[in-house]
Amino acid sequence: MSGTDRNQEYVREFTYHAWANDLWVAAAPNLPFADQANDILRHIAMAQNRWLGRCWNEDEQAPEEPDTAAWLSATNARWREFIAMADIEAFINWEREGKVMYLTLEDIVRQLINHGNYHRGELRGLCRAHGVEEFPETDFARYVMQIEN
C-alpha cells in the first residue's frame, strides 16, 4: 500500500475515532459518573493535542476551560487534515526528561486510535459498574455499517 493510500486509511480511522468520541460526548452528561466521563474524554483530547504539538514541533496548550465536545472536534479535525497531507512514514521526535524520543507518524496515529479505544472501553466498563445498560456502541464494525454503508 502506498503512503498516500495509507494516509487515506488513517484519515478514515480518525474519522471513526471522531464519530466514537462524539457518541460518548453526547452520552456523558446523562451518566451517573458524568464528571468522570468528561475527565476521560478531556484526557483523550489532551493526548491528541499533545501529540499534535509534537508533530508540529510546537507547544500545544489546552484551553483554560475547554468545552470538551468542541475541543475533541477541533483536535480530530486538525488530525485528519494533518494526516491527509503528511508523510506517514516520517519520524517525529521530541524531548522527554532530557532524552530524545521518536516514532513514525504512522505509529503515533495508531497510538491515538488505540488510546481512544482503550478509554472508550473504560467508559463502557464504568457504565456496567454503575448499572447503566444503555451506552454508545462504538465498535469499528458498527461505524462502517452505520456510517459508511
Side-chain angles (χ1 to χ4, degrees):
M1 185 181 296
S2 73
T4 303
D5 291 338
R6 288 193 350 252
N7 286 57
Q8 291 309 308
E9 185 59 29
Y10 287 119
V11 167
R12 177 182 183 229
E13 288 191 34
F14 232 95
T15 302
Y16 152 70
H17 179 65
W19 169 84
N21 287 337
D22 288 347
L23 289 178
W24 278 103
V25 164
N30 301 316
L31 298 172
F33 54 95
D35 289 343
Q36 186 176 11
N38 189 60
D39 288 346
I40 291 168
L41 293 164
R42 284 175 43 89
H43 172 76
I44 293 170
M46 177 66 79
Q48 290 179 183
N49 204 53
R50 183 174 295 123
W51 280 107
L52 194 60
R54 289 172 178 163
C55 290
W56 283 107
N57 202 21
E58 297 174 353
D59 186 23
E60 293 284 327
Q61 297 295 319
E64 289 279 326
E65 287 296 323
D67 172 88
T68 302
W71 194 24
L72 268 171
S73 179
T75 59
N76 283 326
R78 290 182 66 209
W79 266 106
R80 287 191 304 268
E81 290 173 21
F82 180 63
I83 295 166
M85 64 94 177
D87 177 358
I88 201 74
E89 297 172 352
F91 280 94
I92 307 298
N93 61 46
W94 68 97
E95 190 172 317
R96 182 176 178 175
E97 299 174 2
K99 184 178 177 185
V100 175
M101 314 290 274
Y102 62 91
L103 288 170
T104 64
L105 177 56
E106 184 171 25
D107 291 337
I108 292 168
V109 171
R110 284 181 184 195
Q111 163 61 24
L112 288 170
I113 299 301
N114 288 330
H115 180 255
N117 285 335
Y118 172 87
H119 285 296
R120 288 187 299 271
E122 179 183 14
L123 289 169
R124 183 182 174 127
L126 287 167
C127 284
R128 293 277 192 209
H130 284 87
V132 176
E133 294 182 17
E134 291 189 32
F135 46 81
E137 294 290 347
T138 57
D139 288 343
F140 183 74
R142 186 174 298 268
Y143 164 77
V144 171
M145 291 183 290
Q146 286 182 353
I147 304 301
E148 292 188 351
N149 290 336

